[in-house]
Amino acid sequence: MMTDSTELQASKGTQAERLVQLRRDKGMTAEQLAQAMTAAGAKVSRGAISNWECGTNGIVSSKLPTLARILGCSEGYLLRGELQSEANIDINIDSDADSTQSITATNKNPAPSKQASNAQPMTSQAAKNSQHNPMSGHSMNTIKKSDKLQNVCYDIRGPLLQTANRMEAEGKRILKLNVGNPAPFGLEAPHEILRDVAMNLPEATGYSDSQGIFSARKAVLQYYQSKGLLSAVDVRDVYLGNGVSELIVMTMQALMNDGDEILIPMPDYPLWTAAANLSGGTAVHYRCNEEDNWHPDIEDIKSKITAKTKGIVVINPNNPTGALYSDELLLQIIEVAKEHDLIIMADEIYDRILYDDTVHTPMSTLTDDVLVLSYNGLSKSHRIAGFRAGWMMVSGKKHHAADFIEGLDMLASMRLCSNVQGQYAIQTAMGGYQSMKELTSERGRLYKQREMAVSRLNAIKGISCTMPQGAFYCFPKMDPDVYPIEDDMAFMMDLLVEENVLMVQGTGFNWDKPDHFRLVFLPNLHDLEDAMDRLDRFFAKKRQQFGTE
């Protein structure tokens, strides 16, 4: 239990501040607290803990008793800073007829007053009117988000971006290194795509087939045929979506029952984890080893497979690390999936953004013995993120997955279709000249920006960064002996406020330690140089504060 002085100090803060202080007093990280709560039967993600601690979400009522017990405090103290010495409070969590949870406070030893003793009991109808009538003098029930969202975290567009937007509204110029959106950085879409989409606008005013227009789906099949997948012949295997993001969410909804598990890399693109949790499943993270150029740890994958595991997510090239996986490594993952009858979900959106003459191999071309879902699109490779032109292809061992595929068909039909205008970009984009090669060649803009960003990062004391082979991100490490950080989001918030540079902390990608961040090297060399100068200055100041200069 806390000392009186600790209680008095913490009670002055907000609910979020009290939670942070209590956790730190216990010597726990947010990840460790999430694990302890889950082990105690109150399943919660690290992202949900972070959301509570930054005040984005309030503490979920159903999780409150377990949270208070683990932290060694009362529930009333967590919620409102009420000290047991001042009021003996019980927090009762009840379910009403609509199965929504509410929190009520009851004084164990009430001191009756004359006014209270003379008061008449309120009838149930009067209580109901008082609760819901805005003219009764009582506040109305707060409308809250679904509890399903409490385990969902997407920090790429979270509190840091919200703060950056407020700063921009105040007239400050923010260097945004947080989102992989090529358009704001002057990376223009190929003119041929824009022209073809414009020419087809009259044909794109109505709904299309729920899976997409024939020409686009056929172009996707031919792309995989050119990569060696000769069995890619049936357009019914291709689903067009509003970007890969929609198709990821759709897959999880079609696949996951409550309690099912999916293996997702750590670090990951956080939408995968969010979609798994939102569907009622559980994201189980397997480790990627920084010492091995961020390649997945096969033994760690094997150790985390249970009877509830449904599939393995492979992000290659990887976001946020930029790692590219060898055929040998991909085959090892396939063998694990084959042994345990798991689905492989291959997120390959960056397969055409490669450096140093490296070659990407689609997982679908390496096996017919495993069900493979391949995700790709044009947002990054063709710089048309706003067109929302993405696809998913089903291949491999399909005969035992008819019911699951029926679920995909059902969900595709429920959203009617994806953006038809964007669909008309796919056939043009998949054939002909691929302009991305110019940008990633040694003379290309992205190549030069990558070289400069990584070299400047590695020149900062206590910062180390592997060289990405794909995509346009890097995932630098901060030496904990030089930067002893407990809260990496707060650290990135300091960077934003002090230097007007916006980046996302490593735990926002479900990394389990506060010692990394993701940098997007899309800005031109001039702006990127400016950003790196600011990082130099910021980290030097932090070393002085920590006494590690």
Side-chain angles (χ1 to χ4, degrees):
M1 296 292 289
M2 299 181 303
T3 64
D4 291 342
S5 61
T6 304
E7 283 191 337
L8 288 170
Q9 181 181 12
S11 66
K12 296 177 182 178
T14 65
Q15 181 183 112
E17 290 168 343
R18 287 191 296 275
L19 176 56
V20 171
Q21 186 62 52
L22 288 163
R23 175 177 60 75
R24 289 176 177 173
D25 288 345
K26 285 288 185 181
M28 303 175 77
T29 65
E31 178 72 19
Q32 290 169 335
L33 179 56
Q35 291 171 352
M37 290 188 64
T38 300
K43 173 187 166 186
V44 70
S45 69
R46 182 215 58 79
I49 299 290
S50 295
N51 284 339
W52 297 346
E53 291 190 348
C54 68
T56 304
N57 295 331
I59 299 171
V60 180
S61 58
S62 61
K63 314 293 183 184
L64 182 62
T66 303
L67 181 62
R69 185 169 67 252
I70 290 173
L71 295 177
C73 67
S74 70
E75 297 168 16
Y77 175 77
L78 254 181
L79 287 176
R80 292 177 293 275
E82 295 169 348
L83 305 182
Q84 289 183 337
S85 59
E86 296 175 349
N88 201 0
I89 300 293
D90 266 349
I91 302 297
N92 298 318
I93 302 175
D94 300 312
S95 297
D96 61 19
D98 294 326
S99 298
T100 57
Q101 293 178 319
S102 60
I103 301 176
T104 59
T106 306
N107 195 323
K108 286 184 177 178
N109 300 297
S113 64
K114 182 176 181 181
Q115 180 181 4
S117 62
N118 293 331
Q120 295 296 318
M122 183 179 290
T123 66
S124 59
Q125 184 61 43
K128 184 175 181 181
N129 291 341
S130 172
Q131 183 179 18
H132 296 288
N133 184 356
M135 302 302 293
S136 67
H138 294 272
S139 61
M140 299 179 68
N141 284 347
T142 301
I143 300 175
K144 297 183 178 181
K145 68 173 74 68
S146 164
D147 283 353
K148 291 181 294 185
L149 288 172
Q150 297 295 341
N151 284 330
V152 174
C153 182
Y154 192 74
D155 285 347
I156 294 176
R157 293 179 181 267
L160 286 164
L161 179 61
Q162 294 164 14
T163 301
N165 290 339
R166 287 195 295 269
M167 293 172 67
E168 283 187 321
E170 296 168 357
K172 296 178 181 178
R173 178 175 179 264
I174 307 299
L175 290 174
K176 294 183 177 179
L177 311 181
N178 64 313
V179 178
N181 183 12
F185 301 103
L187 291 162
E188 298 179 351
H191 179 72
E192 183 182 8
I193 292 178
L194 301 181
R195 184 189 62 196
D196 283 11
V197 169
M199 290 179 63
N200 281 288
L201 282 178
E203 307 299 322
T205 56
Y207 298 131
S208 72
D209 182 282
S210 61
Q211 288 185 229
I213 61 176
F214 177 86
S215 61
R217 287 190 284 159
K218 187 66 175 179
V220 170
L221 290 176
Q222 290 173 339
Y223 175 72
Y224 288 100
Q225 289 174 8
S226 71
K227 297 288 186 177
L229 185 65
L230 300 183
S231 61
V233 294
D234 191 343
V235 294
R236 290 176 298 179
D237 291 334
V238 178
Y239 297 78
L240 304 188
N242 292 301
V244 167
S245 299
E246 180 188 48
L247 296 166
I248 290 172
V249 173
M250 193 169 83
T251 301
M252 292 299 175
Q253 290 176 331
L255 179 67
M256 306 288 279
N257 291 316
D258 288 353
D260 285 344
E261 297 174 354
I262 194 81
L263 293 174
I264 297 175
M266 178 178 68
D268 72 339
Y269 176 55
L271 179 66
W272 280 104
T273 294
N277 291 336
L278 185 61
S279 69
T282 299
V284 177
H285 294 100
Y286 65 84
R287 183 168 294 277
C288 296
N289 292 326
E290 187 169 15
E291 299 77 13
D292 188 27
N293 289 320
W294 289 111
H295 285 171
D297 185 329
I298 299 298
E299 294 306 314
D300 193 50
I301 291 176
K302 293 178 181 178
S303 72
K304 291 177 176 174
I305 294 174
T306 71
K308 297 180 179 180
T309 307
K310 302 295 287 287
I312 305 175
V313 174
V314 180
I315 306 175
N316 177 41
N318 186 265
N319 175 11
T321 67
L324 178 68
Y325 304 155
S326 66
D327 289 7
E328 179 184 1
L329 178 62
L330 296 177
L331 287 168
Q332 291 181 58
I333 296 174
I334 287 170
E335 283 303 308
V336 173
K338 183 177 177 181
E339 178 182 353
H340 296 277
D341 196 22
L342 303 178
I343 300 172
I344 290 177
M345 302 171 197
D347 183 344
E348 299 171 336
I349 189 73
Y350 298 99
D351 70 335
R352 285 149 291 176
I353 307 176
L354 305 171
Y355 307 93
D356 307 320
D357 297 321
T358 53
V359 177
H360 174 270
T361 302
M363 291 197 79
S364 60
T365 65
L366 296 176
T367 182
D368 290 323
D369 299 324
V370 175
L371 183 66
V372 179
L373 308 179
S374 301
Y375 302 82
N376 213 322
L378 307 181
S379 293
K380 318 296 184 178
S381 60
H382 291 78
R383 289 86 70 201
I384 53 172
F387 282 36
R388 312 310 298 129
W391 63 82
M392 173 181 67
M393 185 187 69
V394 182
S395 65
K397 189 179 176 182
K398 294 183 291 184
H399 62 274
H400 74 313
D403 196 58
F404 165 62
I405 293 172
E406 181 181 333
L408 291 175
D409 292 341
M410 184 183 304
L411 290 172
S413 297
M414 286 172 62
R415 52 95 204 237
L416 297 179
C417 65
S418 67
N419 172 33
V420 181
Q421 291 85 353
Q423 293 183 40
Y424 277 102
I426 294 175
Q427 183 178 27
T428 298
M430 299 307 287
Y433 178 67
Q434 299 296 305
S435 57
M436 178 54 69
K437 292 181 179 179
E438 282 185 14
L439 295 169
T440 58
S441 68
E442 288 190 15
R443 296 182 178 180
R445 171 180 163 178
L446 286 178
Y447 183 95
K448 293 176 180 178
Q449 290 163 195
R450 177 192 69 147
E451 296 293 306
M452 193 266 281
V454 173
S455 62
R456 288 290 303 271
L457 285 166
N458 282 321
I460 300 174
K461 181 180 179 180
I463 303 293
S464 59
C465 184
T466 61
M467 181 65 75
Q469 293 182 297
F472 28 68
Y473 314 106
C474 50
F475 200 61
K477 179 178 181 178
M478 299 176 286
D479 186 340
D481 291 332
V482 181
Y483 307 101
I485 301 163
E486 291 186 356
D487 186 338
D488 56 350
M489 178 184 283
F491 192 77
M492 289 295 106
M493 190 69 78
D494 288 346
L495 172 65
L496 172 60
V497 172
E498 295 175 22
E499 295 292 347
N500 294 354
V501 175
L502 174 61
M503 293 191 296
V504 181
Q505 75 281 4
T507 56
F509 300 93
N510 291 295
W511 186 244
D512 61 350
K513 296 179 182 178
D515 60 358
H516 282 76
F517 58 92
R518 188 185 74 166
L519 183 145
V520 179
F521 53 83
L522 282 172
N524 61 54
L525 285 171
H526 175 76
D527 287 342
L528 197 57
E529 191 87 53
D530 184 13
M532 300 311 300
D533 289 343
R534 299 186 192 194
L535 285 180
D536 270 339
R537 186 166 57 238
F538 176 75
F539 280 109
K541 183 164 57 177
K542 288 298 181 182
R543 290 194 301 273
Q544 290 181 343
Q545 292 177 7
F546 294 135
T548 57
E549 186 58 68

